[in-house]
Amino acid sequence: MAPGLIYVETGNVLWVMTRRGDLDESAFVEASGLLAEAPLLVRTPMQSLLPSAARLARELDHPVYDCAYLALAINSQYPVVTADLKF
């Protein structure tokens, strides 16, 4: 389960990896396609997460887009899984 933002954020990571030379063009295209087909549950519109995400961002002094994941987890009563140790 993730907010729809996950597609844009992970797509951006693939783009950065391609710019750095970690992925070639064909790997970028393939990974983007796999990302688009990933079995993610994306049902919550971003605008419904924004009030909670904005409040959390203020409280935690952390970017709103990261807090959208936390807001979704809180609203859905699921744990947050992240590699961002600071978050």
Side-chain angles (χ1 to χ4, degrees):
M1 176 181 286
L5 180 62
I6 194 165
Y7 294 108
V8 174
E9 283 197 299
T10 52
N12 194 62
V13 168
L14 295 173
W15 171 74
V16 168
M17 291 176 71
T18 303
R19 286 188 68 212
R20 281 194 311 225
D22 297 333
L23 287 178
D24 63 23
E25 183 67 25
S26 64
F28 174 70
V29 170
E30 180 182 358
S32 297
L34 290 172
L35 173 61
E37 297 172 7
L40 294 171
L41 181 58
V42 179
R43 290 191 192 158
T44 306
M46 290 299 299
Q47 59 267 45
S48 68
L49 295 173
L50 184 56
S52 296
R55 179 182 50 77
L56 289 164
R58 284 191 324 272
E59 291 173 7
L60 301 174
D61 192 28
H62 204 81
V64 173
Y65 55 81
D66 283 349
C67 290
Y69 292 89
L70 181 56
L72 177 61
I74 291 169
N75 292 347
S76 304
Q77 297 182 345
Y78 281 101
V80 173
V81 177
T82 181
D84 185 342
L85 297 178
K86 181 183 173 195
F87 186 54

